[in-house]
């Protein structure tokens, strides 16, 4: 079974400052990794994913995440945040095959608050 | 296509009453998932359908919960004899078999249940 730990429940950051949201996972098998974002009163939206290949993945709105197998981490970063990035961010894992491979296992989420 | 629709958005019910939620997935998606999200937690998997077949149920899905997807299109989630611990956001998601890994799920906006 896999699990996901998001080390920070809340991260306040000033506008235009960089931010890192941390995510560690545990799994005995290889995994696919995802970051989802949830704006207030909305569902989850896929931000970016790691399936295979390059360990650095990017989203269209400036976020990036790096898969680090040795550290079992998939931290999310943005070099300069905007007010509109204020939301809750969830890291999730999924096994590529076998039992439960359709399930996403989520972390508890990190609330990013961007301060003007 | 307007994405995954969930109805109602909010439901307040008295303890002991039965409630039913509906999810309309993206029309061409043959996989449908239910998740539950309680305050301060990430979404937790409840159950999964491929077409009309319910292929997996989480231990979280007690015998008071039942989910159906009668024609492989929309799905309903019923909770009988609601308890205060059932208060949560119930999220529905859908995907197309074979593409879920590449595109992630598409989540609906959720139904927020409050049991008083």
């Amino acid at each position: 079974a896999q699990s996901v730990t998001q080390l920070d429940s809340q991260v306040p950051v000033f506008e235009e400052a960089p931010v890192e949201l941390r995510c560690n996972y545990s799994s005995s098998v290889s995994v696919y990794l995802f970051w989802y974002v949830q704006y207030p009163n909305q569902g989850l939206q896929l931000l970016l994913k790691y399936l295979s290949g390059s360990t650095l993945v990017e989203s269209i709105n400036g976020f990036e995440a790096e898969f680090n197998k040795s550290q079992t981490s998939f931290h999310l970063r943005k070099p300069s945040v905007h007010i509109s990035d204020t939301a809750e961010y969830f890291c999730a894992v999924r096994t590529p095959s076998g039992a439960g491979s359709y399930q996403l296992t989520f972390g508890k989420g990190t609330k990013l608050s961007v301060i003007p | 296509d307007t994405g995954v629709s969930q109805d109602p958005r909010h439901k307040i019910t008295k303890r002991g009453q039965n409630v039913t939620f509906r999810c309309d997935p993206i029309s061409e998606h043959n996989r449908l998932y239910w998740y539950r999200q309680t305050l301060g937690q990430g979404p937790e998997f409840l159950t999964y359908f491929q077409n009309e077949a319910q292929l997996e149920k989480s231990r979280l899905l007690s015998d008071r919960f039942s989910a159906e997807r009668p024609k492989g299109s929309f799905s309903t989630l019923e909770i009988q004899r609601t308890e205060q611990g059932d208060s949560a956001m119930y999220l529905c998601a859908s995907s197309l078999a074979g593409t879920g890994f590449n595109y992630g799920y598409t989540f609906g906006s959720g139904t927020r249940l409050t049991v008083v």
Side-chain angles (χ1 to χ4, degrees):
Chain A
Q2 58 260 23
S3 65
V4 177
T5 301
Q6 291 185 244
L7 296 165
D8 305 296
S9 60
Q10 296 188 42
V11 173
V13 62
F14 286 104
E15 192 174 15
E16 298 184 3
V19 69
E20 178 180 81
L21 307 183
R22 296 179 292 171
C23 171
N24 288 88
Y25 69 92
S26 66
S27 175
S28 58
V29 298
S30 61
V31 295
Y32 294 152
L33 294 156
F34 303 84
W35 276 99
Y36 282 83
V37 58
Q38 187 175 34
Y39 298 100
N41 299 316
Q42 295 188 26
L44 284 81
Q45 300 173 28
L46 179 64
L47 189 61
L48 46 75
K49 60 187 182 288
Y50 171 78
L51 306 179
S52 64
S54 173
T55 57
L56 184 66
V57 291
E58 298 177 353
S59 72
I60 58 173
N61 56 355
F63 283 95
E64 65 178 31
E66 186 164 16
F67 170 56
N68 187 319
K69 188 175 182 179
S70 63
Q71 302 279 335
T72 61
S73 68
F74 191 55
H75 300 332
L76 182 69
R77 301 183 182 96
K78 190 170 186 180
S80 175
V81 295
H82 302 287
I83 295 290
S84 59
D85 294 323
T86 295
E88 190 159 18
Y89 293 79
F90 291 93
C91 182
V93 302
R94 183 175 175 179
T95 55
S97 61
S101 61
Y102 42 81
Q103 293 183 30
L104 287 170
T105 300
F106 286 88
K108 292 186 177 183
T110 298
K111 290 184 179 177
L112 173 63
S113 299
V114 180
I115 305 163
Chain B
D1 196 341
T2 57
V4 178
S5 299
Q6 291 189 246
D7 184 69
R9 291 293 305 274
H10 304 275
K11 178 72 176 179
I12 300 174
T13 191
K14 291 184 178 179
R15 189 175 54 184
Q17 297 294 304
N18 299 345
V19 294
T20 300
F21 312 138
R22 177 179 171 124
C23 171
D24 287 89
I26 292 174
S27 57
E28 62 266 27
H29 284 185
N30 55 356
R31 288 181 172 175
L32 186 145
Y33 316 81
W34 285 98
Y35 282 76
R36 182 176 71 182
Q37 184 178 15
T38 54
L39 202 61
Q41 302 293 320
E44 297 170 293
F45 172 79
L46 291 179
T47 190
Y48 154 62
F49 290 85
Q50 179 149 324
N51 300 313
E52 66 275 9
Q54 187 174 20
L55 298 184
E56 186 69 21
K57 293 193 293 185
S58 161
R59 289 174 297 175
L60 293 175
L61 214 65
S62 76
D63 56 6
R64 296 185 297 106
F65 288 70
S66 62
E68 295 183 343
R69 194 183 183 198
K71 297 183 179 179
S73 56
F74 73 91
S75 175
T76 59
L77 178 67
E78 181 183 16
I79 308 174
Q80 296 182 328
R81 306 181 302 282
T82 52
E83 301 173 356
Q84 287 188 321
D86 297 331
S87 295
M89 175 78 84
Y90 290 84
L91 294 166
C92 177
S94 69
S95 70
L96 184 61
T99 67
F101 293 139
N102 291 325
Y103 302 116
Y105 299 166
T106 300
F107 279 88
S109 297
T111 293
R112 182 169 295 283
L113 173 67
T114 302
V115 181
V116 297

